[in-house]
Amino acid sequence: MTANTIAIIDYGMGNLHSISKALQHVAPEQNIIVTAQSQQILNADKVVLPGVGAIKDCMLEIKRHELQQTIIQASQSKPFLGICLGLQALLSHSDENQGIDGLNIIAGQVHQFQSQHLKIPHMGWNQVKTKAHPIWENIADNRYFYFVHSYYAQVDNLDYQIGETEYGQKFCAVLAKDNIVATQFHPEKSHEAGLQLLRNFANWNGE
Amino acid sequence: MTLAKRIIPCLDVDNGRVVKGVKFVDIRDAGDPVEVAKRYHREGADEITFLDITATSDNRDTMVHVVEEVASQVFIPLTVGGGIRQLEDIRTMLNAGADKVAINSAAVKTPEFVKQAADKFGSQCIVVAIDAKQVDQDWEIFTHGGRKATGIDAIEWAKKMVTYGAGEILLTSMDKDGTKSGFDLELTAKISESVPVPVIASGGVGTLDHLVEGILQGKADAVLAASIFHFAEYSIHEAKQYMANQGIDVRL
């Protein structure tokens, strides 16, 4: 059996060191590559779309690297994991930066946390209420994961929400549709529970 | 379902080695920051902060290697402070695997630097570290390890830094630091109530009750401590269990 390849998309949005090390840690037998090359991404067995920062820069960088079609294509054809901004970018629209259209791969909106009483960004460890999905294998309900974000996602069709977290209001912490999974939190920074999620992704066939 | 309060062990690193002594029986080399970080990771630390106290910039590369090494084995957020003076320093640390950088003296010298840093890398990775000392009824910020007075009011400064893009405030009381007599709770509460971003309380922890007070009375979102964990007086897990018993939400 040849080693699987997991491609982490490098489009200039944030540090990919941690996610690549975490994947190597949980899937040492797989080939983890960090790349901006469309062909490498499309040839990989699995794809990870990370992202840290603001949505405007994120979308600009995806376009500048001419990766929009590649990401859409990968998201339709192989196990695909979006992380943080990589979740928000999959949705239809974000209110951040005066309003930015996303990739619209899954119908949903991104809004800003608004509360007098809450510290923003939502930074730290919060619990995730789970709904059956292979990505949750060996992860108990209500485990803590590490979040850092000021905008939160809401998917139009709640069937696609497989993880829910509450901070002022309930929001989509994890979404899943067909071969796509995306997390608002950072599994690569979420200790054992996060590593287990990455292990599950590395073992997932997308069904 | 609530956001947990965080416990953050802090390591002072000089030229690639942990200083201020660490005594763990199960660690072969307690001066090795990677070994110590792994131990805290196992015990359930929510984040780890490294403070690079290396005097010469020639030796800064050592810190970069430490961060790379830790980030390859420790899968929780890492913050690096000390000597962050330009955008390039931030990029280097983030690329090495740090999640956040703490900016202290450079922010006082050039407040615009914080703005540029937040614009460039996002507020989520910009921590502004404030060292404050009580002067009469107020608190003033000091730089250069507490040696240099600035005449700047700590509370006003915290607010200003948030408007400049700080995503978090790391607040150290210079009066309390090293005393093991507890946080400056009044100052911590005043700053925490004045800014919309999370505040990490630092300086003075000697007992587990101090951690509890920092959260309940100081209204901090996270508590940072060094020596009580280094000398294995308490494990991180014990500290969290103690806080949980006092009704504080922690990740156990």
Side-chain angles (χ1 to χ4, degrees), chain B residues 153-235:
Chain B
D153 179 78
I155 296 164
E156 290 311 311
W157 179 247
K159 288 191 206 163
K160 179 172 171 178
M161 285 297 96
V162 171
T163 64
Y164 276 47
E168 198 169 35
I169 299 289
L170 168 56
L171 174 66
T172 304
S173 159
M174 302 306 296
D175 300 306
K176 293 287 194 167
D177 202 28
T179 65
K180 296 196 154 231
S181 63
F183 295 116
D184 184 332
L185 298 173
E186 197 187 346
L187 169 67
T188 307
K190 282 207 158 117
I191 297 225
S192 190
E193 284 167 347
S194 305
V195 297
V197 303
V199 172
I200 305 165
S202 155
V205 175
T207 70
L208 298 185
D209 279 316
H210 292 153
L211 299 175
V212 171
E213 290 166 4
I215 302 290
L216 297 183
Q217 285 151 260
K219 303 189 165 53
D221 302 282
V223 284
L224 180 141
S227 57
I228 65 160
F229 299 130
H230 292 346
F231 294 103
E233 289 167 54
Y234 303 101
S235 71

Coordinates of all heavy atoms in Angstrom, one line a residue, chain B residues 153-235:
Chain B
D153 N 0.0 55.8 32.7 CA -1.0 55.2 33.6 C -1.4 53.8 33.0 O -1.7 53.7 31.8 CB -2.3 56.0 33.7 CG -3.3 55.4 34.5 OD1 -3.2 55.4 35.7 OD2 -4.3 54.8 33.9
A154 N -1.3 52.8 33.8 CA -1.5 51.4 33.3 C -2.8 51.1 32.7 O -3.0 50.4 31.7 CB -1.2 50.4 34.5
I155 N -3.9 51.7 33.4 CA -5.2 51.4 32.9 C -5.5 52.1 31.5 O -6.0 51.5 30.6 CB -6.3 51.8 33.9 CG1 -6.1 50.9 35.2 CG2 -7.7 51.7 33.4 CD1 -6.8 51.4 36.4
E156 N -5.0 53.3 31.5 CA -5.2 54.1 30.2 C -4.4 53.4 29.1 O -4.8 53.3 27.9 CB -4.7 55.5 30.3 CG -5.6 56.4 31.2 CD -7.1 56.2 30.8 OE1 -7.4 56.4 29.6 OE2 -7.9 56.0 31.7
W157 N -3.2 52.9 29.5 CA -2.4 52.2 28.5 C -3.0 50.9 28.0 O -3.0 50.7 26.8 CB -1.0 51.9 29.2 CG 0.0 51.2 28.3 CD1 0.4 49.9 28.4 CD2 0.6 51.7 27.1 NE1 1.3 49.6 27.4 CE2 1.4 50.7 26.6 CE3 0.5 52.9 26.4 CZ2 2.2 50.9 25.4 CZ3 1.3 53.1 25.3 CH2 2.1 52.1 24.8
A158 N -3.6 50.2 28.9 CA -4.2 48.9 28.5 C -5.4 49.2 27.5 O -5.5 48.6 26.4 CB -4.8 48.2 29.7
K159 N -6.1 50.2 27.8 CA -7.2 50.6 26.9 C -6.7 51.0 25.5 O -7.2 50.6 24.5 CB -8.0 51.8 27.4 CG -8.9 51.4 28.6 CD -9.8 52.6 28.9 CE -10.2 52.7 30.3 NZ -10.8 54.0 30.7
K160 N -5.7 51.8 25.5 CA -5.1 52.3 24.3 C -4.5 51.1 23.5 O -4.7 51.1 22.2 CB -3.9 53.3 24.6 CG -3.2 53.9 23.4 CD -2.3 55.0 23.8 CE -1.4 55.4 22.6 NZ -0.5 56.5 22.9
M161 N -3.9 50.2 24.1 CA -3.3 49.1 23.4 C -4.3 48.2 22.7 O -4.1 47.7 21.6 CB -2.4 48.2 24.3 CG -1.1 48.9 24.7 SD 0.0 49.1 23.2 CE -0.3 50.8 22.7
V162 N -5.5 48.2 23.4 CA -6.6 47.4 22.7 C -7.1 48.1 21.5 O -7.4 47.5 20.5 CB -7.7 47.1 23.8 CG1 -8.9 46.5 23.1 CG2 -7.2 46.2 24.9
T163 N -7.2 49.4 21.6 CA -7.7 50.2 20.4 C -6.6 50.1 19.3 O -6.9 50.1 18.1 CB -8.0 51.7 20.7 OG1 -6.7 52.3 21.0 CG2 -9.0 51.9 21.8
Y164 N -5.4 49.8 19.7 CA -4.3 49.7 18.7 C -4.3 48.2 18.1 O -3.5 47.9 17.2 CB -2.9 50.0 19.3 CG -2.6 51.5 19.2 CD1 -3.6 52.5 19.6 CD2 -1.4 52.0 18.8 CE1 -3.3 53.8 19.6 CE2 -1.1 53.3 18.7 CZ -2.1 54.2 19.1 OH -1.8 55.6 19.1
G165 N -5.1 47.4 18.7 CA -5.2 46.0 18.1 C -4.7 44.9 19.0 O -4.6 43.7 18.5
A166 N -4.3 45.1 20.2 CA -3.9 44.0 21.1 C -5.1 43.1 21.3 O -6.2 43.5 21.5 CB -3.5 44.6 22.5
G167 N -4.8 41.8 21.1 CA -5.9 40.8 21.3 C -6.0 40.3 22.7 O -7.0 39.6 23.0
E168 N -5.0 40.6 23.5 CA -5.0 40.1 24.8 C -4.0 40.9 25.6 O -3.0 41.5 25.1 CB -4.5 38.6 24.8 CG -4.7 37.8 26.0 CD -4.4 36.3 25.8 OE1 -3.5 36.0 25.0 OE2 -5.2 35.5 26.3
I169 N -4.2 41.0 27.0 CA -3.3 41.8 27.8 C -2.7 40.8 28.8 O -3.4 40.1 29.5 CB -4.0 42.9 28.6 CG1 -4.7 43.9 27.6 CG2 -3.1 43.6 29.6 CD1 -3.7 44.8 26.9
L170 N -1.3 40.8 28.9 CA -0.6 40.1 29.9 C -0.2 41.1 31.0 O 0.7 41.9 30.7 CB 0.6 39.3 29.3 CG 1.6 38.7 30.3 CD1 0.9 37.8 31.3 CD2 2.7 38.0 29.5
L171 N -0.8 41.0 32.1 CA -0.6 42.1 33.1 C 0.2 41.5 34.3 O -0.2 40.6 35.0 CB -2.0 42.5 33.7 CG -1.9 43.5 34.8 CD1 -1.3 44.8 34.4 CD2 -3.3 43.7 35.4
T172 N 1.4 42.1 34.5 CA 2.3 41.7 35.6 C 2.4 42.8 36.6 O 2.7 44.0 36.2 CB 3.7 41.3 35.1 OG1 3.5 40.3 34.1 CG2 4.5 40.8 36.2
S173 N 2.1 42.5 37.8 CA 2.3 43.5 38.9 C 3.8 43.4 39.3 O 4.2 42.4 39.9 CB 1.4 43.2 40.1 OG 2.0 43.9 41.2
M174 N 4.5 44.5 39.2 CA 5.9 44.5 39.6 C 6.1 44.5 41.1 O 7.1 44.0 41.6 CB 6.7 45.7 39.0 CG 6.6 45.9 37.5 SD 7.2 44.4 36.6 CE 8.9 44.4 37.1
D175 N 5.0 45.0 41.8 CA 5.1 45.0 43.2 C 5.0 43.6 43.8 O 5.5 43.2 44.8 CB 3.9 45.8 43.8 CG 3.9 47.3 43.3 OD1 5.0 47.9 43.5 OD2 2.9 47.7 42.7
K176 N 4.2 42.8 43.0 CA 3.9 41.4 43.5 C 4.8 40.4 43.0 O 5.0 39.3 43.6 CB 2.4 41.1 43.1 CG 1.4 41.9 43.9 CD 1.3 41.5 45.3 CE 0.1 42.0 46.0 NZ -0.1 41.3 47.3
D177 N 5.4 40.6 41.8 CA 6.2 39.6 41.1 C 7.3 39.1 42.1 O 8.1 39.9 42.6 CB 6.8 40.2 39.9 CG 7.2 39.1 38.9 OD1 6.6 38.0 38.9 OD2 8.1 39.4 38.1
G178 N 7.4 37.8 42.2 CA 8.4 37.2 43.0 C 8.1 37.1 44.5 O 8.9 36.6 45.3
T179 N 7.0 37.8 45.0 CA 6.7 37.8 46.4 C 6.0 36.6 46.9 O 5.9 36.4 48.1 CB 5.9 39.1 46.7 OG1 4.6 38.9 46.1 CG2 6.5 40.4 46.3
K180 N 5.3 35.9 46.0 CA 4.5 34.7 46.4 C 3.3 35.2 47.4 O 2.9 34.4 48.2 CB 5.3 33.7 47.1 CG 6.3 33.0 46.1 CD 6.8 31.7 46.6 CE 7.3 30.8 45.5 NZ 6.7 29.5 45.6
S181 N 2.9 36.4 47.3 CA 1.9 36.9 48.2 C 0.5 37.1 47.4 O -0.4 37.7 47.9 CB 2.3 38.2 48.8 OG 2.5 39.2 47.8
G182 N 0.5 36.6 46.2 CA -0.8 36.8 45.4 C -0.7 37.9 44.4 O 0.1 38.8 44.5
F183 N -1.7 37.8 43.5 CA -1.8 38.9 42.4 C -2.2 40.2 43.0 O -2.7 40.3 44.1 CB -2.9 38.5 41.4 CG -2.6 37.3 40.6 CD1 -3.5 36.2 40.8 CD2 -1.6 37.2 39.7 CE1 -3.3 35.0 40.0 CE2 -1.4 36.1 39.0 CZ -2.3 35.0 39.1
D184 N -1.9 41.3 42.3 CA -2.5 42.6 42.7 C -3.9 42.6 42.1 O -4.2 42.8 41.0 CB -1.7 43.7 42.0 CG -2.2 45.1 42.4 OD1 -3.4 45.2 42.7 OD2 -1.4 46.0 42.4
L185 N -4.8 42.2 43.0 CA -6.2 41.9 42.6 C -6.9 43.2 42.2 O -7.7 43.1 41.2 CB -7.0 41.2 43.7 CG -6.4 39.8 44.1 CD1 -7.1 39.3 45.3 CD2 -6.5 38.8 42.9
E186 N -6.6 44.3 42.8 CA -7.3 45.5 42.5 C -6.9 46.0 41.1 O -7.8 46.3 40.3 CB -6.9 46.6 43.6 CG -7.9 47.7 43.6 CD -7.4 48.9 44.5 OE1 -6.5 48.6 45.3 OE2 -7.9 50.0 44.4
L187 N -5.7 46.0 40.8 CA -5.2 46.4 39.5 C -5.7 45.4 38.4 O -6.2 45.9 37.4 CB -3.7 46.3 39.5 CG -3.0 46.4 38.1 CD1 -3.3 47.8 37.5 CD2 -1.5 46.2 38.2
T188 N -5.7 44.1 38.7 CA -6.1 43.1 37.7 C -7.6 43.4 37.4 O -8.0 43.4 36.2 CB -5.9 41.7 38.2 OG1 -4.5 41.6 38.6 CG2 -6.2 40.7 37.2
A189 N -8.4 43.5 38.4 CA -9.9 43.7 38.2 C -10.1 45.0 37.5 O -11.0 45.1 36.6 CB -10.6 43.8 39.6
K190 N -9.4 46.1 37.8 CA -9.6 47.4 37.1 C -9.3 47.3 35.7 O -10.0 47.8 34.8 CB -8.7 48.4 37.8 CG -9.2 49.0 39.1 CD -8.8 50.4 39.4 CE -9.7 51.0 40.4 NZ -9.1 51.4 41.6
I191 N -8.2 46.6 35.3 CA -7.8 46.5 33.9 C -8.8 45.5 33.2 O -9.3 45.8 32.1 CB -6.4 46.0 33.8 CG1 -5.4 47.0 34.4 CG2 -6.0 45.6 32.3 CD1 -4.2 47.4 33.6
S192 N -9.1 44.4 33.9 CA -10.0 43.5 33.2 C -11.4 44.1 32.9 O -12.0 43.8 31.9 CB -10.2 42.2 34.1 OG -10.9 41.2 33.4
E193 N -11.8 45.0 33.8 CA -13.1 45.6 33.6 C -13.0 46.8 32.6 O -14.0 47.3 32.1 CB -13.7 46.1 34.9 CG -14.3 45.0 35.7 CD -14.5 45.3 37.2 OE1 -14.1 46.4 37.6 OE2 -15.2 44.5 37.8
S194 N -11.8 47.2 32.3 CA -11.7 48.4 31.4 C -11.4 48.0 29.9 O -11.5 48.8 29.1 CB -10.4 49.2 31.8 OG -10.6 49.6 33.2
V195 N -11.1 46.7 29.7 CA -10.8 46.3 28.3 C -11.7 45.2 27.9 O -12.1 44.3 28.7 CB -9.3 45.9 28.1 CG1 -8.4 47.1 28.4 CG2 -8.9 44.7 29.0
P196 N -12.1 45.2 26.6 CA -12.9 44.1 26.0 C -12.2 42.8 25.7 O -12.9 41.9 25.2 CB -13.5 44.8 24.8 CG -12.5 45.7 24.3 CD -11.8 46.2 25.6
V197 N -10.9 42.8 25.8 CA -10.1 41.6 25.4 C -9.7 40.8 26.7 O -9.8 41.3 27.8 CB -8.9 41.9 24.6 CG1 -9.2 42.7 23.4 CG2 -7.9 42.7 25.4
P198 N -9.4 39.5 26.5 CA -9.0 38.7 27.7 C -7.7 39.3 28.4 O -6.9 39.9 27.8 CB -8.6 37.3 27.1 CG -9.3 37.3 25.8 CD -9.4 38.7 25.3
V199 N -7.7 39.1 29.7 CA -6.6 39.6 30.5 C -6.0 38.4 31.3 O -6.7 37.6 31.9 CB -7.0 40.6 31.6 CG1 -5.9 41.0 32.5 CG2 -7.5 41.9 30.9
I200 N -4.6 38.3 31.2 CA -3.9 37.2 31.9 C -3.3 37.9 33.1 O -2.5 38.9 32.9 CB -2.8 36.6 31.0 CG1 -3.4 36.1 29.7 CG2 -2.0 35.5 31.7 CD1 -2.3 35.9 28.6
A201 N -3.6 37.4 34.3 CA -3.0 37.9 35.5 C -1.6 37.2 35.7 O -1.5 36.0 35.6 CB -3.9 37.7 36.7
S202 N -0.7 38.0 36.1 CA 0.7 37.5 36.4 C 1.4 38.3 37.5 O 1.1 39.4 37.8 CB 1.5 37.6 35.1 OG 2.9 37.7 35.3
G203 N 2.2 37.5 38.2 CA 3.0 38.2 39.3 C 2.5 37.9 40.7 O 1.5 38.5 41.0
G204 N 3.2 37.1 41.4 CA 2.9 36.9 42.8 C 2.3 35.6 43.3 O 2.0 35.5 44.5
V205 N 2.1 34.7 42.4 CA 1.4 33.4 42.8 C 2.3 32.6 43.7 O 3.4 32.3 43.3 CB 1.0 32.6 41.6 CG1 0.4 31.2 42.0 CG2 0.0 33.3 40.7
G206 N 1.8 32.3 44.9 CA 2.5 31.4 45.8 C 1.7 30.2 46.2 O 2.2 29.2 46.7
T207 N 0.4 30.3 46.1 CA -0.5 29.2 46.5 C -1.6 29.0 45.5 O -1.8 29.9 44.6 CB -1.2 29.5 47.9 OG1 -2.2 30.6 47.6 CG2 -0.2 30.0 48.9
L208 N -2.3 27.9 45.6 CA -3.4 27.7 44.7 C -4.6 28.6 44.9 O -5.3 29.0 44.0 CB -3.9 26.2 44.8 CG -2.9 25.2 44.5 CD1 -3.5 23.8 44.5 CD2 -2.2 25.4 43.1
D209 N -4.7 29.1 46.2 CA -5.8 30.1 46.4 C -5.5 31.4 45.6 O -6.5 32.1 45.2 CB -5.8 30.4 47.9 CG -6.6 29.3 48.7 OD1 -7.7 29.0 48.2 OD2 -6.2 28.9 49.7
H210 N -4.3 31.7 45.4 CA -4.0 32.9 44.6 C -4.5 32.8 43.2 O -5.0 33.8 42.7 CB -2.4 33.2 44.6 CG -1.9 33.5 45.9 ND1 -0.6 33.3 46.3 CD2 -2.4 34.1 47.0 CE1 -0.3 33.7 47.5 NE2 -1.5 34.2 48.0
L211 N -4.4 31.6 42.7 CA -5.0 31.4 41.3 C -6.5 31.6 41.3 O -7.0 32.3 40.4 CB -4.6 30.0 40.8 CG -3.2 29.6 40.7 CD1 -3.0 28.1 40.3 CD2 -2.5 30.5 39.7
V212 N -7.1 31.1 42.3 CA -8.6 31.2 42.5 C -8.9 32.7 42.6 O -9.8 33.2 41.9 CB -9.1 30.4 43.7 CG1 -10.5 30.7 43.9 CG2 -8.9 28.9 43.4
E213 N -8.2 33.4 43.5 CA -8.5 34.8 43.7 C -8.3 35.6 42.4 O -9.1 36.6 42.1 CB -7.5 35.4 44.7 CG -7.7 35.0 46.1 CD -6.5 35.3 47.0 OE1 -5.6 36.0 46.5 OE2 -6.5 34.9 48.2
G214 N -7.3 35.3 41.6 CA -7.0 36.0 40.4 C -8.2 35.9 39.4 O -8.5 36.9 38.7
I215 N -8.9 34.8 39.4 CA -10.1 34.6 38.6 C -11.3 35.3 39.2 O -12.0 36.1 38.6 CB -10.4 33.1 38.3 CG1 -9.2 32.4 37.7 CG2 -11.7 33.0 37.5 CD1 -8.9 32.8 36.3
L216 N -11.6 35.0 40.5 CA -12.8 35.4 41.1 C -12.8 36.9 41.5 O -13.7 37.6 41.2 CB -13.1 34.5 42.3 CG -13.4 33.0 42.0 CD1 -13.7 32.3 43.3 CD2 -14.5 32.8 41.0
Q217 N -11.7 37.3 42.1 CA -11.6 38.7 42.5 C -10.9 39.6 41.5 O -11.3 40.7 41.2 CB -10.9 38.9 43.8 CG -11.8 38.4 45.0 CD -11.0 37.9 46.1 OE1 -10.9 36.7 46.3 NE2 -10.4 38.8 46.9
G218 N -9.9 39.1 40.9 CA -9.2 39.8 39.8 C -9.9 39.8 38.5 O -9.5 40.6 37.6
K219 N -10.9 39.0 38.4 CA -11.7 38.9 37.1 C -10.8 38.6 35.9 O -11.2 39.0 34.8 CB -12.5 40.2 36.9 CG -13.4 40.4 38.1 CD -14.4 41.6 37.8 CE -15.5 41.6 38.8 NZ -15.1 41.7 40.2
A220 N -9.7 37.9 36.1 CA -8.9 37.6 35.0 C -9.4 36.4 34.2 O -10.2 35.6 34.7 CB -7.5 37.2 35.5
D221 N -9.1 36.4 32.9 CA -9.5 35.3 32.0 C -8.6 34.1 32.1 O -8.9 33.0 31.7 CB -9.7 35.8 30.6 CG -10.6 36.9 30.6 OD1 -11.8 36.7 30.6 OD2 -10.2 38.1 30.5
A222 N -7.3 34.4 32.5 CA -6.3 33.4 32.6 C -5.3 33.8 33.7 O -5.2 35.0 34.0 CB -5.6 33.3 31.3
V223 N -4.7 32.8 34.3 CA -3.7 33.1 35.3 C -2.3 32.4 34.9 O -2.3 31.3 34.4 CB -4.1 32.6 36.7 CG1 -5.2 33.5 37.3 CG2 -4.7 31.1 36.6
L224 N -1.3 33.2 35.1 CA 0.0 32.8 34.7 C 0.9 32.6 35.9 O 0.8 33.5 36.8 CB 0.6 33.8 33.7 CG 2.0 33.5 33.2 CD1 2.1 34.0 31.7 CD2 3.1 34.3 34.0
A225 N 1.6 31.6 36.0 CA 2.5 31.4 37.1 C 3.8 30.6 36.7 O 3.7 29.9 35.7 CB 1.8 30.6 38.2
A226 N 4.8 30.8 37.4 CA 6.1 30.2 37.1 C 6.5 29.3 38.2 O 6.4 28.0 38.1 CB 7.2 31.2 36.8
S227 N 7.0 29.9 39.3 CA 7.7 29.1 40.3 C 6.8 28.0 41.0 O 7.4 26.9 41.3 CB 8.3 30.0 41.4 OG 7.3 30.8 42.0
I228 N 5.5 28.2 41.2 CA 4.8 27.1 41.9 C 4.7 25.9 41.1 O 4.6 24.8 41.6 CB 3.4 27.5 42.4 CG1 2.5 27.8 41.3 CG2 3.4 28.6 43.4 CD1 1.0 27.7 41.7
F229 N 4.8 26.0 39.8 CA 4.8 24.8 38.9 C 6.3 24.3 38.7 O 6.5 23.1 38.7 CB 4.2 25.1 37.6 CG 2.7 25.6 37.7 CD1 2.2 26.7 37.1 CD2 1.8 24.8 38.5 CE1 0.9 27.1 37.2 CE2 0.5 25.2 38.6 CZ 0.0 26.3 38.0
H230 N 7.2 25.2 38.5 CA 8.6 24.8 38.3 C 9.1 23.9 39.4 O 9.8 23.0 39.2 CB 9.5 26.0 38.2 CG 9.3 26.9 37.0 ND1 8.6 26.5 36.0 CD2 9.8 28.1 36.8 CE1 8.6 27.5 35.1 NE2 9.3 28.5 35.5
F231 N 8.8 24.3 40.6 CA 9.4 23.6 41.8 C 8.5 22.4 42.2 O 8.7 21.8 43.2 CB 9.7 24.6 42.9 CG 10.7 25.5 42.6 CD1 10.4 26.8 42.2 CD2 12.1 25.1 42.5 CE1 11.4 27.7 41.8 CE2 13.1 26.0 42.1 CZ 12.7 27.3 41.8
A232 N 7.5 22.1 41.3 CA 6.7 21.0 41.5 C 6.0 21.0 42.8 O 5.6 20.0 43.4 CB 7.5 19.7 41.3
E233 N 5.8 22.2 43.4 CA 5.0 22.3 44.6 C 3.6 21.8 44.3 O 2.9 21.1 45.1 CB 4.9 23.8 45.0 CG 6.2 24.3 45.6 CD 6.1 25.9 45.7 OE1 5.2 26.4 46.3 OE2 7.0 26.5 45.2
Y234 N 3.1 22.2 43.1 CA 1.8 21.7 42.6 C 1.9 21.4 41.1 O 2.7 22.0 40.4 CB 0.7 22.8 42.7 CG 0.6 23.4 44.1 CD1 1.2 24.6 44.5 CD2 -0.1 22.6 45.1 CE1 1.0 25.1 45.8 CE2 -0.3 23.1 46.4 CZ 0.3 24.3 46.7 OH 0.2 24.8 48.0
S235 N 1.2 20.4 40.7 CA 1.1 20.1 39.3 C 0.0 21.0 38.7 O -0.8 21.5 39.4 CB 0.8 18.6 39.0 OG -0.5 18.3 39.3

